[in-house]
Amino acid sequence: MQVFKLKDLLPSKVAGSSAGMPDFSACFQRSWREFRVFELETCASSLDTAWELMDQGGMLAGDSVLCLEQTGGRGRMRRRWSSPRGNIYAAIKLPVPDSPEKNRMLSIIAGYSFQRALMARGIEVFLKWPNDLVVNSGKAGGILIEEKRGGILAGIGLNLKSLPDSRELRTGRLMDPVHLSGAWPEADPRTAWAELVYLGQFWYDNILCNYSLIDFISEVKPYLWLVNQMVRVEQDQIVLEGRLKGIDESGGIILDCAGQHKHIQTGTLLS
């Protein structure tokens, strides 16, 4: 395992633009320059490694684990996350929001923070409820929030160069995986992750400290994939059909089903 300071991993062009960014993060309660990245060549799961470090008292808010290859990565509903080399497989410790309402929306807030970080590179990214990053109508990555023992970790997988083996993909999936090599050809996992943490922490801090819940819901709505379109959602083996209107104050989606608004907190977006 190697340990780096975030400031030492940032590409020079990004580091040179940091003069306009706040040095101290109110929510993280430290400077982003002191964030650490624990890098491993191979691990079972970046999330599992991060939880082990947290149990040892070795991770502060803003610190992260980056695995160059995972052997047991997981996604939503504990589905296996295929992890070929060349991509980002990371987990970052997040500050706990000071309001229960924002805590319930943490997956959307974290997703939007990293979405904005990618958009700063000119990459058009949408959020697929509840936790996927969509580029060119394909799945470029996903975010998984885990909370236990008073701590919060966000696991992030992002396809920079490689795609999972097609034999390992879930049948009935809504979209195929895509990678970012065309939009971000120079990206490598280490420096790309440093850039995403640097820009993402700014948005996370800004949302938690400066946005009301209503303001954030309005802010994120245009970036929701399939918003204002007809979709199908599977919930408890029941498929609902309606127009996706946005997200509610609990982080669920609002579905207009023939004029009746249904609030869905858990489920799978089918189309």
Side-chain angles (χ1 to χ4, degrees):
M1 178 187 295
Q2 299 185 77
V3 184
F4 302 96
K5 289 284 183 70
L6 185 70
K7 64 181 178 65
D8 296 328
L9 297 182
L10 277 179
S12 57
K13 182 178 179 180
V14 178
S17 67
S18 64
M21 296 283 280
D23 185 72
F24 183 82
S25 168
C27 290
F28 287 84
Q29 286 296 296
R30 59 195 296 219
S31 167
W32 62 265
R33 299 176 187 276
E34 300 305 313
F35 291 1
R36 294 172 296 172
V37 178
F38 298 84
E39 183 183 285
L40 297 92
E41 282 288 326
T42 303
C43 70
S45 159
S46 58
L47 277 166
D48 289 344
T49 302
W51 283 120
E52 291 171 5
L53 288 171
M54 281 184 61
D55 289 343
Q56 298 165 11
M59 283 188 75
L60 302 174
D63 290 345
S64 61
V65 169
L66 175 65
C67 293
L68 302 183
E69 184 177 24
Q70 291 184 138
T71 57
R74 61 181 178 274
R76 186 167 168 258
M77 300 180 181
R78 301 195 72 82
R79 296 186 181 114
R80 186 178 183 277
W81 184 283
S82 182
S83 310
R85 293 183 73 87
N87 299 330
I88 288 175
Y89 311 111
I92 184 169
K93 183 177 180 181
L94 297 176
V96 179
D98 57 7
S99 74
E101 294 80 13
K102 286 183 177 176
N103 195 40
R104 287 194 292 268
M105 295 190 69
L106 204 53
S107 181
I108 301 292
I109 292 173
Y112 183 68
S113 299
F114 283 101
Q115 178 199 27
R116 290 304 297 251
L118 286 167
M119 288 172 62
R121 279 215 147 260
I123 303 172
E124 187 176 42
V125 188
F126 291 91
L127 288 176
K128 173 182 172 285
W129 180 83
N131 66 340
D132 287 339
L133 298 169
V134 178
V135 176
N136 294 328
S137 297
K139 181 174 177 177
I143 295 173
L144 180 65
I145 300 294
E146 291 188 350
E147 183 173 3
K148 56 185 176 182
R149 298 190 290 277
I152 295 176
L153 289 176
I156 297 98
L158 188 65
N159 299 330
L160 295 179
K161 307 285 188 185
S162 306
L163 295 179
D165 190 320
S166 59
R167 294 169 297 181
E168 299 179 357
L169 297 177
R170 180 168 56 95
T171 57
R173 60 189 179 275
L174 179 53
M175 66 183 79
D176 288 326
V178 297
H179 56 63
L180 302 180
S181 63
W184 198 355
E186 74 277 17
D188 69 87
R190 181 187 292 171
T191 58
W193 175 241
E195 185 172 337
L196 292 177
V197 172
Y198 165 67
L199 295 171
Q201 63 85 26
F202 167 77
W203 279 101
Y204 186 88
D205 189 80
N206 192 30
I207 292 164
L208 261 57
C209 293
N210 301 321
Y211 278 67
S212 69
L213 205 56
I214 297 301
D215 288 343
F216 175 68
I217 289 172
S218 298
E219 172 88 10
V220 76
K221 182 178 177 179
Y223 301 102
L224 288 176
W225 194 56
L226 300 179
V227 70
N228 293 324
Q229 297 186 38
M230 294 297 294
V231 299
R232 295 182 305 130
V233 180
E234 183 179 14
Q235 183 186 46
D236 299 328
Q237 299 183 326
I238 297 173
V239 177
L240 301 173
E241 187 171 347
R243 192 172 300 277
L244 179 61
K245 302 300 292 183
I247 58 173
D248 62 20
E249 295 183 7
S250 297
I253 54 172
I254 305 171
L255 208 61
D256 184 344
C257 302
Q260 181 181 5
H261 282 191
K262 294 184 179 292
H263 293 250
I264 300 173
Q265 304 304 316
T266 59
T268 299
L269 195 61
L270 300 178
S271 62

